[in-house]
């Protein structure tokens, strides 16, 4: 049987309360008792000394004026809730406030019975049937001791006072313990209930229900955790949706050329395509296989980009790389009569990056620019330097990108033209590869486009520290 955190907290809370009560009952009771005994004994001793001082003037050997002594003893005894005795040196009780022990002899009487203390707790030589707190003060005069004043207070009086104090303490502790239930209430509302909701939401996510939303309207750590879980579920849902779209797109892009290849080859084999036309259709088969190869290479490139530590950086002249990459498109540009205009702010612009990957970025951007440019147009490539950054711009004057597609062009397999425009060999992976490469360099790439006006891609690279 599992025990939840909440029940463990309640159990700990109750154990704390019980141990606290036991500790108060044990420690406070003993400490209070000892404190009151010390306090009462000092008060009784002071009273005994006062009485002894007042009686020493009237005490004459065996004679004591009881008419003078008795009323005072009774008044003081009533005030102190005690019994007061006056005894002579032999232990005979000359007078007492209760009239119960007058003329009685205390067997074994010893004036020093308190030892090194000012008090003694006992039944005082079997004079009482219960324990009493006893103090003694000598009655002296003319350098002689005539007798002693003894004051006996029942221990029950002290115990009653202790109980009174403890009752106050217990009630106060009970009230504090009751008020501390507010902590339990706060814990329940701010921790336990939110945790239950979070646990339920995590269970839903584990079962695949990524649409489940966790609602916690708090601004504390629990609210932050709930918001994080909601964000996580949204991202996982997007990944799941992306995986479905990815598989669908890959299947579609592989199935189309494979279907064409199969159709052409079957037509050649069964004689539908005449021998004199076979070369034309075999050329198409080669074109479709090249498309499949390009798609496969794009997927492998993206897989490589998804892994960390793939960059091999060094210093190189970005101007030279742009010139070489642009030169590789000479044949395609001549076919469409497109001119590539190069503008460099400096004769040599050294950057610190992965040469091979940046070549791939430039190739994809220039290839896209040519693909969507009109015949007899110009493509502008410009390099500028600002502080420690190098800005590379590739701009065409072609068909442009619809406004609603600008945020989607970086998605894998996305094609702004569903019919794939004039070039049927596009895979929809080029710009995804471009963005992955630039981001892995820790840099940025932006796009500005207007339909029927043109498109400009601008990306940054770090300038080489030692050109």
């Amino acid at each position: 049987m599992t025990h939840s955190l909440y029940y463990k907290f309640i159990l700990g809370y109750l154990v704390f309360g019980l141990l606290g009560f036991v500790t108060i009952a044990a420690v406070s009771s003993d400490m209070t008792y000892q404190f009151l005994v010390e306090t009462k004994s000092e008060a009784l001793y002071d009273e005994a000394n006062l009485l002894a001082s007042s009686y020493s003037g009237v005490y004459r050997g065996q004679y004591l004026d009881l008419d003078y002594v008795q009323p005072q003893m009774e008044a003081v005894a009533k005030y102190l809730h005690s019994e007061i005795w006056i005894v002579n040196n032999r232990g005979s009780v000359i007078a007492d406030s209760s009239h119960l022990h007058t003329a009685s002899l205390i067997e074994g009487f010893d004036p020093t019975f308190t030892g090194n203390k000012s008090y003694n707790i006992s039944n005082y030589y079997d004079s009482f049937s219960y324990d009493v707190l006893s103090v003694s003060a000598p009655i002296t005069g003319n350098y002689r001791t005539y007798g002693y004043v003894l004051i006996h207070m029942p221990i029950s009086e002290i115990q009653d006072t202790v109980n009174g104090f403890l009752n106050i303490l217990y009630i106060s502790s009970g009230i504090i313990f009751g008020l501390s239930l507010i902590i339990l209430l706060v814990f329940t509302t701010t921790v336990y209930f939110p945790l239950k909701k979070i646990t339920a939401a995590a269970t839903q996510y584990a079962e695949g229900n990524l649409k489940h939303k966790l609602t916690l309207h708090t601004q504390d750590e629990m609210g932050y955790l709930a918001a994080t879980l909601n964000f996580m579920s949204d991202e996982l849902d997007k990944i799941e949706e992306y995986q479905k779209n990815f598989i669908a797109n890959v299947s579609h892009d592989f199935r189309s050329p494979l279907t064409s290849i199969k159709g052409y080859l079957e037509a050649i084999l069964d004689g539908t395509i005449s021998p004199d036309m076979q070369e034309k259709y075999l050329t198409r088969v080669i074109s479709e296989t090249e498309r499949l190869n390009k798609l496969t290479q794009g997927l492998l490139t993206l897989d490589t980009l998804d892994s960390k530590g793939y960059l091999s950086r060094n210093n190189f002249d970005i101007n030279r790389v742009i010139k070489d990459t642009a030169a590789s498109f000479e044949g395609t540009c001549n076919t469409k009569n497109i001119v590539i205009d190069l503008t460099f702010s400096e004769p040599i612009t050294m950057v610190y990056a992965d040469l091979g990957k940046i070549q791939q970025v430039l190739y994809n951007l220039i290839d896209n620019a040519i693909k969507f440019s009109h015949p007899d147009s110009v493509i502008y490539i410009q390099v500028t330097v600002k502080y420690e950054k190098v800005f590379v711009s590739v701009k065409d004057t072609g068909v442009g990108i619809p406004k609603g597609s600008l945020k989607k062009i970086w998605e894998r397999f996305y094609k702004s033209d569903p019919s794939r425009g004039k070039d049927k060999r596009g895979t929809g992976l080029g710009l995804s590869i471009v963005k992955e490469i630039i981001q892995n360099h820790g840099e940025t790439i932006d796009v500005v486009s207007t339909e029927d006006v043109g498109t400009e891609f601008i990306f940054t690279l770090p300038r080489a520290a030692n050109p």
Side-chain angles (χ1 to χ4, degrees), residues 20 87 119 178 186 234 270 320 342 346 357:
V87 300
Y119 65 90
V186 171
D234 290 340
D270 62 17
R320 172 53 54 189
L342 304 180
E346 298 177 359
K357 295 297 187 294

Side-chain angles (χ1 to χ4, degrees), residues 373-425:
S373 289
H374 302 295
D376 304 315
S377 62
V378 180
I379 294 174
Y380 302 93
I381 301 178
Q382 185 176 16
V383 176
T384 57
V385 179
K386 293 182 180 179
Y387 304 106
E388 300 303 318
K389 293 292 183 181
V390 175
F391 293 79
V392 180
S393 166
V394 179
K395 181 179 180 181
D396 64 63
T397 54
V399 297
I401 303 172
K403 186 176 181 180
S405 300
L406 280 175
K407 292 184 179 179
K408 301 178 181 179
I409 60 173
W410 309 110
E411 297 177 5
R412 299 177 183 184
F413 296 104
Y414 180 78
K415 303 178 182 66
S416 60
D417 182 1
S419 66
R420 300 179 193 171
K422 302 172 184 177
D423 187 348
K424 304 291 184 180
R425 295 172 298 170

